[in-house]
Amino acid sequence: MARGRPSKKQLILDTAQRLFSERGYQGTTIDLVVQSAGVSKPTVYSHFPSKQALWQAMLEQAIEASEVQRAALDIAATQWFELIPRAFAELTGPPQMLAIYRIMLGERHKMEPDSLALFAAFEERFEHWCERVLNAQAVVLDAQQRFVLRALCREGVLQPALRQQPAPVIGDLAALIYRVVGKLD
């Protein structure tokens, strides 16, 4: 393999990621991955024994990239009511993350338990990251305030991105979160 060229495994993953993003889980087939990646079917199956295994590998890779991106955010430098919706916005930036949400929400019934567990763990780690932000800024929210924060972020950022509609400006959403959740000093 020449330097700088992706491995065949990575080529297959990148191709699958693009196809899952464009066509969803149902619309992506191993044959389409083979054709689009320009590799043989045995090559794909030597790395990924099934479409579900390919999906899970893509899911793991995208989740890891998202967590690296979130870890780079300075949780003490920006107010919590702006930082948390900003993290939701960064989550919706990469097409593969939107595809993950579309597929895991809309095609959930086609997923194997391992994929469902991986996605649930990702969501839980995101919640823990939000908790670290609040703790770092000495903010205490009760259960209702946490629910409202999550709902505003999901409805204000994630849902518009999934529907390909414009999302509110993060600063405007942050101001709304601050007003609705309550001024906390």
Side-chain angles (χ1 to χ4, degrees):
M1 178 175 69
R3 285 185 171 209
R5 288 183 53 202
S7 68
K8 285 198 179 187
K9 182 177 183 177
Q10 190 59 51
L11 173 65
I12 294 164
L13 268 174
D14 291 345
T15 302
Q17 185 176 81
R18 180 180 52 79
L19 292 170
F20 284 130
S21 295
E22 292 171 357
R23 298 171 173 258
Y25 186 80
Q26 183 70 28
T28 300
T29 64
I30 292 294
D31 286 337
L32 189 56
V33 172
V34 165
Q35 180 185 10
S36 297
V39 297
S40 68
K41 194 178 272 192
T43 299
V44 171
Y45 282 119
S46 72
H47 294 290
F48 307 100
S50 67
K51 178 173 144 179
Q52 189 66 223
L54 181 57
W55 166 254
Q56 188 160 339
M58 197 252 0
L59 184 62
E60 289 168 351
Q61 188 177 53
I63 287 171
E64 182 180 322
S66 173
E67 290 182 353
V68 166
Q69 183 180 29
R70 197 169 45 253
L73 295 173
D74 185 350
I75 64 175
T78 305
Q79 292 291 328
W80 65 273
F81 49 85
E82 185 175 333
L83 185 60
I84 292 173
R86 185 176 310 279
F88 269 89
E90 287 186 7
L91 190 66
T92 64
Q96 70 269 20
M97 286 307 298
L98 282 178
I100 287 168
Y101 272 96
R102 278 191 193 103
I103 291 167
M104 293 306 292
L105 298 175
E107 299 182 71
R108 179 176 199 86
H109 61 285
K110 297 174 185 139
M111 296 297 117
E112 291 181 359
D114 288 347
S115 294
L116 294 171
L118 184 61
F119 184 70
F122 166 69
E123 291 268 277
E124 188 175 311
R125 286 192 299 270
F126 190 85
E127 289 291 324
H128 287 298
W129 178 84
C130 292
E131 187 67 32
R132 284 195 308 274
V133 169
L134 296 172
N135 288 339
Q137 297 187 22
V139 174
V140 177
L141 299 180
D142 63 27
Q144 287 178 328
Q145 290 169 313
R146 287 174 194 278
F147 176 82
V148 170
L149 173 61
R150 250 188 331 275
L152 287 172
C153 289
R154 286 187 183 274
E155 288 299 316
V157 179
L158 185 58
Q159 288 298 327
L162 289 171
R163 293 183 184 122
Q164 298 179 337
Q165 297 172 338
V169 175
I170 294 299
D172 295 343
L173 182 58
L176 176 63
I177 289 169
Y178 187 73
R179 283 194 313 272
V180 172
V181 174
K183 184 178 178 180
L184 303 170
D185 292 327

Coordinates of all heavy atoms in Angstrom, one line a residue, residues 27-62:
G27 N -31.5 1.6 2.1 CA -31.1 1.9 0.8 C -29.6 1.6 0.5 O -29.2 1.7 -0.7
T28 N -28.8 1.2 1.5 CA -27.4 0.9 1.3 C -27.3 -0.7 1.3 O -27.7 -1.3 2.3 CB -26.6 1.5 2.4 OG1 -26.7 2.9 2.3 CG2 -25.1 1.2 2.2
T29 N -26.7 -1.2 0.2 CA -26.5 -2.6 0.2 C -25.0 -2.9 0.0 O -24.2 -2.0 -0.3 CB -27.2 -3.2 -1.1 OG1 -26.6 -2.7 -2.3 CG2 -28.7 -2.9 -1.1
I30 N -24.6 -4.1 0.4 CA -23.2 -4.5 0.2 C -22.8 -4.4 -1.3 O -21.7 -3.9 -1.6 CB -23.0 -5.9 0.8 CG1 -23.1 -5.9 2.3 CG2 -21.6 -6.4 0.3 CD1 -22.1 -5.2 3.1
D31 N -23.7 -4.8 -2.2 CA -23.4 -4.7 -3.6 C -23.1 -3.2 -4.0 O -22.2 -2.9 -4.8 CB -24.5 -5.3 -4.4 CG -24.6 -6.8 -4.4 OD1 -23.5 -7.4 -4.1 OD2 -25.7 -7.3 -4.7
L32 N -23.9 -2.3 -3.5 CA -23.7 -0.9 -3.8 C -22.4 -0.4 -3.2 O -21.6 0.4 -3.8 CB -24.9 -0.1 -3.2 CG -24.9 1.4 -3.6 CD1 -24.9 1.6 -5.1 CD2 -26.2 2.0 -3.0
V33 N -22.0 -0.9 -2.0 CA -20.7 -0.5 -1.4 C -19.6 -1.0 -2.3 O -18.6 -0.3 -2.6 CB -20.6 -1.0 0.1 CG1 -19.2 -0.8 0.6 CG2 -21.6 -0.3 1.0
V34 N -19.7 -2.3 -2.7 CA -18.7 -2.9 -3.6 C -18.5 -2.1 -4.8 O -17.4 -1.7 -5.2 CB -19.1 -4.4 -3.9 CG1 -18.3 -4.9 -5.1 CG2 -19.0 -5.3 -2.7
Q35 N -19.6 -1.7 -5.5 CA -19.6 -1.0 -6.7 C -19.0 0.4 -6.5 O -18.1 0.9 -7.3 CB -21.0 -0.9 -7.3 CG -21.1 -0.1 -8.6 CD -22.5 0.1 -9.1 OE1 -23.5 -0.2 -8.4 NE2 -22.6 0.5 -10.3
S36 N -19.5 1.1 -5.5 CA -19.0 2.5 -5.2 C -17.6 2.6 -4.8 O -16.9 3.5 -5.1 CB -19.9 3.1 -4.2 OG -21.2 3.2 -4.7
A37 N -17.1 1.6 -4.0 CA -15.7 1.6 -3.5 C -14.8 1.0 -4.6 O -13.6 1.2 -4.4 CB -15.6 0.8 -2.3
G38 N -15.3 0.3 -5.6 CA -14.4 -0.2 -6.6 C -13.6 -1.4 -6.1 O -12.4 -1.5 -6.4
V39 N -14.2 -2.1 -5.2 CA -13.5 -3.3 -4.6 C -14.3 -4.5 -4.9 O -15.5 -4.4 -5.3 CB -13.2 -3.2 -3.1 CG1 -12.3 -2.0 -2.8 CG2 -14.5 -3.0 -2.3
S40 N -13.8 -5.7 -4.6 CA -14.5 -6.9 -4.8 C -15.4 -7.2 -3.6 O -15.1 -6.8 -2.5 CB -13.6 -8.1 -5.1 OG -12.9 -8.4 -3.9
K41 N -16.4 -8.0 -3.8 CA -17.3 -8.5 -2.7 C -16.5 -9.2 -1.7 O -16.7 -9.0 -0.5 CB -18.5 -9.3 -3.3 CG -19.6 -9.4 -2.2 CD -20.8 -10.2 -2.8 CE -21.7 -9.2 -3.4 NZ -23.0 -9.9 -3.7
P42 N -15.6 -10.2 -2.1 CA -14.8 -10.9 -1.0 C -14.0 -9.9 -0.2 O -13.7 -10.1 1.0 CB -13.9 -11.8 -1.9 CG -14.7 -12.1 -3.1 CD -15.4 -10.8 -3.4
T43 N -13.5 -8.8 -0.8 CA -12.7 -7.8 0.0 C -13.6 -7.2 1.0 O -13.2 -7.0 2.2 CB -12.1 -6.7 -1.0 OG1 -11.3 -7.4 -1.9 CG2 -11.4 -5.7 -0.2
V44 N -14.8 -6.8 0.7 CA -15.7 -6.2 1.7 C -16.0 -7.2 2.8 O -15.8 -6.9 4.0 CB -17.0 -5.7 1.0 CG1 -18.0 -5.3 2.1 CG2 -16.8 -4.6 0.1
Y45 N -16.3 -8.5 2.4 CA -16.7 -9.5 3.4 C -15.5 -9.9 4.2 O -15.7 -10.4 5.3 CB -17.4 -10.7 2.7 CG -18.8 -10.4 2.4 CD1 -19.3 -10.4 1.1 CD2 -19.7 -10.1 3.4 CE1 -20.6 -10.2 0.8 CE2 -21.1 -9.8 3.2 CZ -21.5 -9.8 1.9 OH -22.8 -9.6 1.6
S46 N -14.3 -9.7 3.7 CA -13.1 -10.1 4.5 C -12.9 -9.1 5.7 O -12.3 -9.5 6.7 CB -11.8 -10.2 3.7 OG -11.4 -8.9 3.3
H47 N -13.4 -7.9 5.5 CA -13.3 -6.9 6.6 C -14.6 -6.8 7.4 O -14.6 -6.5 8.6 CB -13.0 -5.5 6.0 CG -11.7 -5.4 5.4 ND1 -10.5 -5.5 6.1 CD2 -11.3 -5.3 4.1 CE1 -9.5 -5.4 5.3 NE2 -9.9 -5.3 4.0
F48 N -15.7 -7.0 6.7 CA -17.0 -6.8 7.4 C -17.9 -8.0 7.0 O -18.4 -8.1 5.8 CB -17.7 -5.5 7.0 CG -16.8 -4.3 7.2 CD1 -16.1 -3.8 6.1 CD2 -16.6 -3.8 8.4 CE1 -15.2 -2.7 6.3 CE2 -15.7 -2.7 8.6 CZ -15.0 -2.2 7.6
P49 N -18.2 -8.9 7.9 CA -19.0 -10.1 7.5 C -20.4 -9.9 7.2 O -21.1 -10.8 6.6 CB -18.8 -11.0 8.8 CG -18.5 -10.1 9.9 CD -17.8 -8.9 9.3
S50 N -20.9 -8.7 7.5 CA -22.3 -8.4 7.2 C -22.5 -6.9 7.0 O -21.7 -6.1 7.4 CB -23.3 -8.9 8.3 OG -23.0 -8.2 9.5
K51 N -23.7 -6.5 6.5 CA -24.0 -5.1 6.4 C -24.1 -4.5 7.8 O -23.7 -3.4 8.1 CB -25.3 -4.9 5.7 CG -25.8 -3.5 5.6 CD -27.0 -3.5 4.6 CE -28.1 -2.5 5.1 NZ -29.2 -2.4 4.2
Q52 N -24.6 -5.3 8.8 CA -24.8 -4.8 10.1 C -23.4 -4.6 10.7 O -23.2 -3.6 11.5 CB -25.5 -5.8 11.0 CG -25.9 -5.3 12.4 CD -26.9 -4.2 12.4 OE1 -26.7 -3.3 13.2 NE2 -27.9 -4.2 11.6
A53 N -22.4 -5.4 10.4 CA -21.0 -5.2 10.9 C -20.4 -4.0 10.3 O -19.7 -3.2 11.0 CB -20.2 -6.5 10.6
L54 N -20.7 -3.7 9.0 CA -20.2 -2.5 8.4 C -20.9 -1.3 9.0 O -20.2 -0.3 9.3 CB -20.5 -2.6 6.9 CG -20.1 -1.4 6.0 CD1 -18.6 -1.2 6.1 CD2 -20.5 -1.7 4.6
W55 N -22.2 -1.4 9.3 CA -22.9 -0.3 9.9 C -22.3 0.0 11.3 O -22.0 1.2 11.7 CB -24.3 -0.6 10.0 CG -25.0 0.4 11.0 CD1 -25.5 0.1 12.2 CD2 -25.3 1.7 10.8 NE1 -26.1 1.2 12.8 CE2 -26.0 2.2 12.0 CE3 -25.1 2.6 9.8 CZ2 -26.4 3.5 12.1 CZ3 -25.5 4.0 9.9 CH2 -26.1 4.4 11.1
Q56 N -22.0 -1.0 12.1 CA -21.5 -0.9 13.4 C -20.1 -0.2 13.4 O -19.8 0.6 14.2 CB -21.5 -2.2 14.2 CG -21.2 -1.9 15.6 CD -21.6 -3.1 16.5 OE1 -22.5 -3.9 16.2 NE2 -21.0 -3.2 17.7
A57 N -19.3 -0.7 12.5 CA -17.9 -0.1 12.4 C -18.0 1.4 12.0 O -17.3 2.2 12.6 CB -17.1 -0.9 11.3
M58 N -18.9 1.7 11.1 CA -19.1 3.1 10.7 C -19.6 3.9 11.9 O -19.1 5.0 12.2 CB -20.1 3.3 9.6 CG -20.0 4.6 8.9 SD -21.3 5.8 9.0 CE -22.6 5.3 10.0
L59 N -20.5 3.3 12.7 CA -21.1 4.0 13.9 C -20.0 4.2 14.9 O -19.9 5.3 15.4 CB -22.2 3.0 14.4 CG -23.0 3.5 15.6 CD1 -23.8 4.7 15.3 CD2 -23.9 2.4 16.0
E60 N -19.2 3.2 15.1 CA -18.1 3.4 16.1 C -17.1 4.5 15.7 O -16.7 5.3 16.5 CB -17.3 2.0 16.3 CG -18.1 1.0 17.0 CD -17.5 -0.4 16.9 OE1 -16.5 -0.6 16.1 OE2 -17.9 -1.3 17.6
Q61 N -16.7 4.5 14.4 CA -15.8 5.5 13.9 C -16.4 6.9 14.1 O -15.7 7.9 14.5 CB -15.4 5.2 12.5 CG -14.3 6.0 11.9 CD -14.0 5.6 10.5 OE1 -14.8 5.5 9.6 NE2 -12.7 5.3 10.3
A62 N -17.6 7.1 13.7 CA -18.3 8.4 13.7 C -18.4 8.9 15.2 O -18.2 10.1 15.5 CB -19.6 8.4 13.0

